[in-house]
Amino acid sequence: MLSVQDLVKNFGGLRAIDHCTFDVQRGTITGLIGPNGAGKTTLFNIITGFISPDAGRVRFKGDDITNLPAHRIFDKKLCRTFQIPREHPSMTVIENLMLVASEQSGERIWNAWLRPGHVRRQEDETRKRAIEVLDFIELDHLRDEYAGKLSGGQKKLLELGRTLMAEPEMVLLDEPGAGVNRTLMKRLVGNIEYLCRERGIIFLLIEHDMDLVMRLCDPVIVMSEGRKLMQGTPDEVRSDKRVLDAYLGGQYAAAEG
């Protein structure tokens, strides 16, 4: 589904991505782990068109998307979330969702004058879909609340809801568990598992919560100093001495011993 091929990215004298290569298969929830500074978010920014690589290629569904602008990649149904949610705080929760829907005829001012009935029907359909998404992520009771007033965990759920409005085929999640309490985290994990299993959405997620990664993701990709250190099942990652020493700090060493 997604193929990262020999990517390189330098920032001045710092090599953030160093000949990184891996594939993400259909039907998977793939974890991407590594210490701070390993290049994980930079990699996401390259894949989704926010920055360009110095070398290498990115392919999505077989198409070369390297250097395409972010909105073109979004239109190809490859979407992402961010470490810090980027909601529109002065808009309501439901307005944040409705804004994402593509090809809205009301965005062209002449349609509002010449085809008001069509614009109204399309907006009604978009609102209906937004309500369905809000019901799925269990934020329907907050539909008319300003998004800026949501808790950190609720904003993470809203971010997921906004990607669903784009009807994605693949979603890149940047630390979905950061700042989220256990109750909301359980809901978010359940949503991800359901969307992968029932709707066929592929997920690639960055996460520092190793318990979450080991429970949710298979396979897991480990990055170090801008390159792939290894890729394997959660059990393989748990038992790899390089991973235990460098990233997990012996967290699973006792269990393995």
Side-chain angles (χ1 to χ4, degrees):
M1 191 68 170
L2 178 73
S3 182
V4 172
Q5 303 170 350
D6 205 30
L7 283 185
V8 174
K9 181 62 183 179
N10 299 308
F11 295 103
L14 172 66
R15 174 154 291 187
I17 304 294
D18 187 11
H19 299 282
C20 186
T21 297
F22 63 84
D23 295 329
V24 176
Q25 304 297 328
R26 293 181 184 273
T28 63
I29 302 172
T30 300
L32 183 63
I33 68 172
N36 290 330
K40 303 181 298 296
T41 295
T42 299
L43 188 64
F44 268 26
N45 288 337
I46 293 173
I47 292 170
T48 53
F50 284 82
I51 59 176
S52 297
D54 296 320
R57 315 303 299 175
V58 179
R59 295 185 181 277
F60 180 60
K61 297 187 295 184
D63 296 331
D64 191 337
I65 61 171
T66 316
N67 296 320
L68 285 183
H71 69 276
R72 291 275 307 281
I73 294 174
F74 178 86
D75 288 341
K76 289 180 176 292
K77 305 301 182 181
L78 175 58
C79 303
R80 70 167 296 180
T81 65
F82 295 86
Q83 288 181 6
I84 300 174
R86 298 189 177 187
E87 79 285 351
H88 296 280
S90 61
M91 300 177 71
T92 66
V93 168
I94 195 168
E95 287 170 344
N96 267 264
L97 295 186
M98 293 178 67
L99 187 66
V100 178
S102 60
E103 299 181 359
Q104 298 185 61
S105 57
E107 294 175 351
R108 297 175 176 82
I109 191 169
W110 54 84
N111 281 329
W113 294 337
L114 301 177
R115 305 173 65 197
H118 174 76
V119 171
R120 190 178 305 110
R121 286 191 298 274
Q122 190 180 50
E123 184 166 321
D124 288 343
E125 291 171 0
T126 301
R127 177 177 292 274
K128 180 180 178 181
R129 185 150 58 92
I131 291 172
E132 292 173 351
V133 169
L134 285 174
D135 183 61
F136 173 72
I137 61 176
E138 299 183 44
L139 290 181
D140 184 60
H141 61 293
L142 296 171
R143 72 169 73 174
D144 296 319
E145 182 65 82
Y146 287 115
K149 294 184 178 181
L150 300 182
S151 70
Q154 290 168 338
K155 289 178 180 179
K156 289 292 180 73
L157 288 170
L158 179 60
E159 281 260 287
L160 178 61
R162 290 173 66 188
T163 65
L164 295 181
M165 288 295 294
E167 299 180 325
E169 295 183 45
M170 182 171 182
V171 177
L172 277 56
L173 301 173
D174 198 344
E175 296 194 38
V180 179
N181 66 48
R182 288 296 171 182
T183 300
L184 289 180
M185 191 68 248
K186 184 177 180 181
R187 186 189 306 175
L188 186 60
V189 166
N191 289 344
I192 293 169
E193 290 177 327
Y194 173 85
L195 291 168
C196 181
R197 181 179 66 251
E198 301 297 332
R199 300 194 186 180
I201 298 175
I202 300 94
F203 288 90
L204 173 64
L205 65 95
I206 295 171
E207 186 53 65
H208 288 289
D209 184 335
M210 291 299 102
D211 288 330
L212 172 62
V213 171
M214 297 302 167
R215 186 172 71 250
L216 180 63
C217 302
D218 188 2
V220 178
I221 298 167
V222 185
M223 286 189 68
S224 175
E225 299 179 341
R227 64 179 65 185
K228 185 179 78 173
L229 178 65
M230 69 159 294
Q231 178 173 340
T233 67
D235 286 340
E236 290 170 339
V237 170
R238 285 191 185 100
S239 60
D240 190 287
K241 188 176 186 303
R242 295 168 299 173
V243 179
L244 290 170
D245 291 344
Y247 310 124
L248 303 184
Q251 179 179 349
Y252 294 100
E256 293 300 326

